[in-house]
Amino acid sequence: MGSIILFGPPGAGKGTQAQRILEHTGQPQVSTGDMLRAALAAGTEVGEEAKRYMDAGALVPDDVILRLIVDRLKEDDAAAGVMFDGFPRTTPQARALDAITEIRAVVSIEVPDDDIVERITGRFTCRGCGTVYHDVHLPLPEGSCPCGAFEELRRADDNEATVRARLATYHQQTQPVATHYEAQGLLHRINGVGHVDAITADILAVLRNV
Ligand SMILES: [Zn+2]
C-alpha cells in the first residue's frame, strides 16, 4: 500500500476531494492542522512542545511536525497508509517524509492561478445561516438567502492581491516538491477545473493503477 499525498494550490479543492477519496480508499486524511489540534487536546509531549512555539507566535518547526506524523502513522487506522493533505510544502519536508513512510502516489490537482483567484475572491457567506455562496458559481437564489436573515460576510484576506501573494508563495516553495516526486515517478497531474465528480473520478482512476 503506502501513503498518498494530495497536492495543489490553496482553493484547488483538496479538502473536498480528500473527503470523497477517503470514502473509497479508507485511508485517513492527515493534515498538520488536525494533527496539531489532536496532539494539543491529548496533551502529548510533542503536542506540548508544539504549543510553546504557537503560544510564542512562531511556526512549528519541521522536526516537531515530523514527530507528530511519526506518532500518527503508528495508530491502527494508519496501518495501510494515510492521505496527506497540505503536507509536505517544501522539499526538505518531502525528503524527511520519504524517510519515515512509503509514498505510493502524489496527486497534484492543477488549477490555473486566474481560476483560483476567481474561485476565492467570489466567495461570500450568509452571516445569518452560514451558507457559502459564490458571485458566479453559486449566486444567491432570487437575490437573497432563503434563511431570511441574509447579511453578506466576505473574508478580508479573500481579495485578489492576497490570493495572488499566497499563490506566488505556493509556486515558489511547493512546486519544487512536485519536481521532487516527479523524479521518483510518483507524480500524477489531475486537471482540477471542471465538475467535482469528474475530478474525483480522475483521482480514483489514478489510485487504482498505482
Ligand atoms: Zn442565510
Side-chain angles (χ1 to χ4, degrees), residues 177-190:
V177 177
T179 308
H180 170 86
Y181 288 115
E182 195 160 36
Q184 299 180 39
L186 293 173
L187 187 74
H188 303 269
R189 298 180 192 275
I190 296 287

Side-chain angles (χ1 to χ4, degrees), residues 126 128-129 145 147:
C126 169
C129 66
C145 184
C147 76

